[in-house]
Amino acid sequence: MDLLSYVLTAFVFVVSIAYLYLRSRHNYWRDRCFPYTRQKPHLLYGHMEQFQSKHASYINEELYWEFKNRGEPIGGMSMFFLPGLIVADPELVKSILVKDFSVFHDRGVFNDAKADPLSAHLFALEGHEWRVLRQKLTPTFTSGRMKQMFGTIQQVAGEFLKYMNEHCHREIEMKDVLARFTTDVIGTCAFGIECNTLKNPDSDFRKYGNKVFEQDTLLMLKFMFATTFKGLAKRIGMKLTDEGVERFFLQVVRETVEYREMNNVQRNDFMNLLLQIKNTGSLDGGDVPIKGAAGLTMNELAAQVFVFFLAGFETSSTTMNFCLYELAKNPDIQDRLREEIERAVEENGGEVTYDMVMNVQYLDNVINETLRKYPPIESLSRVPMRDYTVPGTKHVIPKDTFIQIPVYALHRDPEFYPEPDQFNPDRFLPEEVKKRHPYVFLPFGEGPRICIGLRFGVMQAKIGLITLLRNFRFTPSSQTPAKIVFDPKSFILSPSTGNYLKVDKI
């Protein structure tokens, strides 16, 4: 009995300490007299209690409106047991992303090159490591480099067109088909490998690519733990990357690099550019090497190819998917866009070239309006490297606090976008853009940490849309949802159901 009493006492003690710790985390902002949400937090999940049934974009939008309606530029909440902040003022967004970037240069995303090599990519790295790598990689995304890859993407678009010709005149689930197209594009451009997922939808690239974007309670808790206790997480070798995903991508990269270097293979793709940086520290063609910077290790190269692949296939495919959904629902906009594309092709001598694709103004407007309604990343994260006083207030943001800029909520705010649920590409006419605050449209982020691959992503989406719209007409089917609902199991904005559209050849 005595032993049982000791065990029970110890158990009650541990549970009590855990309870008091979690309560103290949820009272973090109140104890500091900082504005905080009036929603009651769940003991374990905080204000993310509904994350398994409700996408984070909706949760953060509710918090955004609570603070905005109270006149607060920023407010506190609990992300599980991690005290976090939601920004509700575009001027503060500007300060965080640009004016005071020296304070907010890190995203607060856990990475560990030793224990979790694929996590040490450009999106997650911090401080000096990020700066050096960004300098090395920036030349790989110039318009000149994109122009070199244009022909490669067109070849994949040609295979895409063949697939669509074989399957049109019926309902097609476009979400999956578009993801297979962009997987083939980025597989070719990042790895130099023909993935053939249009013909083989069960390819390993699709399988492991999809796995990365799946989220569950255990992964979220591991992420929160690693974010809160970075030092401890590194000491115990915590991994956030799935073992199977890591094994597959490291092996593919290693085999590709070895084959190219042994056979002196030269291609117009990212892998070729990264190999130059790996071996020399810079690119050919007049790029100046970074003083004191070495090339890339095999693991560093693999991590960059990994994140290029993930960012390239999923965000572009969902953007095209949402765009086709809106065009099917708005046939007048679809017809106008098709006419603008055909006019541009005709004025270009009947050829689809890089310069033509990148200069169809109405296509830009349509894609921007799609990105407004459906930004792939619903919020941007930053952490300050020191205590920071919110401009115009006495509120002090403590060092290393996880801050979220709710992109989805800003894009749906009727103060900036009247009738936000309406799909209206004319919002992005130059005269309309000038009327808005410049920091209420953030699909790629902004400032020095703006998405490095935005040119590639936009080019890929434009080629895909031009290929489809010149050849097919899209209309709603009996299975097309009246309203898009986002999948809570996906990190990015993704529809919870397939996007079934009727496709007719023109």
Side-chain angles (χ1 to χ4, degrees), residues 103-127:
V103 180
F104 297 97
H105 49 68
D106 296 337
R107 299 186 196 274
V109 178
F110 177 77
N111 65 89
D112 184 356
K114 187 176 180 181
D116 192 357
L118 293 185
S119 71
H121 48 67
L122 188 65
F123 184 86
L125 287 177
E126 300 180 333

Side-chain angles (χ1 to χ4, degrees), residues 35-38 60-76 86-91 406 409-417 437 440:
Y36 63 97
T37 177
R38 291 167 184 154
N60 287 333
E61 186 180 29
E62 289 176 11
L63 292 165
Y64 168 86
W65 280 109
E66 178 181 349
F67 297 126
K68 177 161 182 168
N69 289 335
R70 285 161 52 183
E72 299 288 358
I74 194 168
I86 295 285
V87 180
D89 174 53
E91 274 301 309
L410 285 164
H411 285 193
R412 297 287 184 124
D413 189 333
E415 178 186 344
F416 312 121
Y417 300 99
H437 194 288
V440 296

